[in-house]
Amino acid sequence: MNACSCTLGRYKGQTLIEVGSGPTVHSVVSACDHFQDIVLSDFTETNRLEVQKWLRGDEGCFDWSPVIQFVSELEGKRTPKEMEERLRRTVKQVLPCDVRHENPFHPLVLEPADCVLTSLCLEAACKDHPTYQQALKNVTALLRPGGVLIMIGVLNETFYVVGEHRLSCLPLSQTFVENALKDLGFSIQKNDILPMPDRDKNKVSDCEAFFFLIAEKMKNV
């Protein structure tokens, strides 16, 4: 969360698209100061409905105020209330998406974005490496030339647990992810690897490490 907030502060533009937002808004709290329009998206309707409940301020919606307060204190620019109000104004759409489609938002066609953000999405959605490479191509096609991809993911994870459900995950290596992006005409600006402590004792996943990657789409692509 801290890393995402600090990184988004370095980039700005008209539009940011988050692919695979889940039922959350925490990834884009900082972005509302740097982009005019934010598009959130998820494959699952229940996740999209949860986000829309928060955007409307519905009774019983999830309370994101502790996260917003943390970012407000970290950045020191706005009060939590100001940041919350700006975020609600800046998120313009919450859309269904499927990264397996050439256009993840089909039949809707979006203008190329200045920034695409995706976190813990592709490795959960793809069954094998060729499918991942195609999904990565589909997602990065949403960027304009010169635009920035911010991607958070896990390395060498085969499963994760949500509640009582054990879900599969496509194991990835750092080299595979970086080469897949280079093949698509991206320049890797940064790729921080955060090893998972006590992996053998982890009951909710066998993740080896998290990665936090920033890549720029070359202008001649």
Side-chain angles (χ1 to χ4, degrees):
M1 176 66 199
N2 191 338
C4 193
S5 174
C6 293
T7 297
L8 284 170
R10 300 174 195 164
Y11 300 102
K12 61 182 179 179
Q14 180 66 37
T15 305
L16 178 146
I17 298 172
E18 183 177 20
V19 174
S21 307
T24 72
V25 298
H26 68 277
S27 295
V28 295
V29 173
S30 181
C32 67
D33 266 335
H34 307 284
F35 294 88
Q36 300 302 308
D37 303 311
I38 294 176
V39 177
L40 302 181
S41 67
D42 201 78
F43 179 80
T44 306
E45 183 180 16
T46 53
N47 286 344
R48 300 193 302 270
L49 291 174
E50 191 64 33
V51 172
Q52 290 165 340
K53 282 170 59 178
W54 182 84
L55 292 172
R56 293 191 301 262
D58 289 358
E59 184 177 353
C61 67
F62 189 82
D63 181 13
W64 288 104
S65 58
V67 172
I68 294 171
Q69 181 171 345
F70 171 78
V71 177
S72 173
E73 293 173 355
L74 180 69
E75 298 184 346
K77 296 178 182 178
R78 297 178 183 273
T79 67
K81 180 175 176 57
E82 290 171 339
M83 186 166 278
E84 182 174 325
E85 290 173 350
R86 183 170 177 81
L87 180 59
R88 284 192 164 104
R89 291 196 306 269
T90 307
V91 175
K92 299 298 197 296
Q93 299 181 86
V94 181
L95 301 176
C97 73
D98 188 338
V99 298
R100 298 168 300 176
H101 294 164
E102 183 176 2
N103 171 11
F105 298 111
H106 177 80
L108 189 63
V109 177
L110 301 183
E111 289 294 320
D114 300 290
C115 181
V116 167
L117 168 66
T118 185
S119 177
L120 304 172
C121 174
L122 302 188
E123 57 267 56
C126 300
K127 63 180 181 178
D128 53 38
H129 287 154
T131 305
Y132 182 96
Q133 289 169 308
Q134 184 60 51
L136 190 60
K137 181 179 181 180
N138 300 341
V139 169
T140 56
L142 299 169
L143 274 171
R144 65 167 176 79
V148 173
L149 172 71
I150 299 175
M151 184 160 62
I152 302 167
V154 286
L155 299 178
N156 296 316
E157 179 177 276
T158 64
F159 79 92
Y160 60 101
V161 175
V162 178
E164 299 178 355
H165 302 283
R166 181 183 171 110
L167 305 174
S168 63
C169 184
L170 179 66
L172 304 171
S173 71
Q174 178 182 352
T175 300
F176 173 78
V177 174
E178 291 182 356
N179 286 342
L181 283 167
K182 290 174 183 176
D183 289 344
L184 292 171
F186 278 76
S187 171
I188 309 295
Q189 305 295 305
K190 172 181 181 179
N191 192 8
D192 289 342
I193 307 300
L194 307 173
M196 190 73 172
D198 299 323
R199 185 188 186 200
D200 295 338
K201 299 178 182 178
N202 193 340
K203 303 297 184 182
V204 297
S205 87
D206 60 350
C207 162
E208 182 178 285
F210 284 87
F211 68 87
F212 186 88
L213 182 148
I214 303 170
E216 182 177 339
K217 188 173 187 177
M218 304 303 286
K219 293 186 178 181
N220 59 350
V221 174

